[in-house]
Amino acid sequence: MSATPLRLAVINSSVREGRFGPTVARWFVEQAEQRTDLEVDLIDLTEHALPYELSHAPSDTVSAELARVSPRLAAAEAFVVVTPEYNHSYPASLKNLIDWHRSEWQAKPIGFVSYGGLAGGLRSVEHLRPVFAELHAVTVRDCVSFHNVWGQFDEAGALVEPTAASAASKTLLDQLVWWGVSLREAREKRPYGA
Ligand SMILES: Cc1cc2nc3c(=O)[nH]c(=O)nc-3n(C[C@H](O)[C@H](O)[C@H](O)COP(=O)(O)O)c2cc1C
């Protein structure tokens, strides 16, 4: 579709001690890295502690922290958010990262890999769609979700039954690449003027 790989940022959004998120994020990154049409950057929110008080004039410490993460978001041409479900929604750490940024999300596609208990994090995904719409991002239809995630991976972090999740991951990434390349071309022709 395009000779230049699409720059994909995968955001591992849970920061809880003992979190399961890295297992899910690593599995997904492995899927994405098998493709030649993607260049993957894994962003782990435990490494980017932004304060909850938003500010237009951040302190030097906060500016330094933003300087570590914002350029990575700005450089991305597509995102996949890896999100758990906490009390029927997504984690505060993720909302905080979203709210500290604006143009970094605009006119770019966003996909979701979710996990949790019975609902597999799907309620988090549906809550995130209107948030990203407000930021002029496009969320792709299909996602990967892991229901009762604890039983789905073995101790080495491999999926016990990989077939369905790998197929779902391919569908998600195909959609993301279509939107990502299309929006890259559109932004090159006409800068997004929102
Ligand atoms: C505070 C809290 C609330 C949770 N609420 C839900 C929930 O509403 N629905 C669900 O399916 N799982 C829920 N869970 C289970 C989590 O989705 C599951 O533990 C998941 O592994 C959390 O991601 P993490 O380990 O990366 O932090 C909750 C877990 C925590 C810690």
Side-chain angles (χ1 to χ4, degrees), residues 2-143:
S2 164
T4 311
L6 192 73
R7 291 191 302 274
L8 167 66
V10 176
I11 299 170
N12 182 21
S13 61
S14 77
V15 296
R16 193 176 63 86
E17 201 184 329
R19 67 204 171 127
F20 202 84
T23 301
V24 180
R26 268 196 303 269
W27 170 82
F28 182 73
V29 165
E30 276 169 23
Q31 305 295 303
E33 284 182 340
Q34 286 169 22
R35 299 175 64 123
T36 54
D37 52 2
L38 290 171
E39 189 184 295
V40 184
D41 180 22
L42 175 60
I43 299 176
D44 186 332
L45 295 194
T46 55
E47 292 164 15
H48 299 286
L50 292 167
Y52 284 110
E53 298 82 11
L54 299 174
S55 167
H56 290 298
S59 68
D60 289 350
T61 319
V62 176
S63 297
E65 196 51 52
L66 285 167
R68 290 176 61 237
V69 68
S70 307
R72 290 170 74 182
L73 299 179
E77 298 171 291
F79 300 96
V80 166
V81 172
V82 180
T83 180
E85 180 168 315
Y86 296 154
N87 299 320
H88 289 203
S89 197
Y90 55 90
S93 49
L94 177 58
K95 186 64 161 62
N96 200 36
L97 177 82
I98 294 170
D99 291 346
W100 269 103
H101 297 91
R102 189 177 159 81
S103 62
E104 288 83 354
W105 308 115
Q106 279 185 354
K108 296 179 186 175
I110 304 200
F112 301 103
V113 173
S114 68
Y115 60 98
L118 263 187
L122 289 172
R123 288 175 285 225
S124 299
V125 172
E126 295 311 316
H127 288 179
L128 282 162
R129 291 187 191 282
V131 173
F132 281 116
E134 170 62 16
L135 289 159
H136 304 250
V138 181
T139 61
V140 303
R141 176 184 183 273
D142 287 73
C143 59

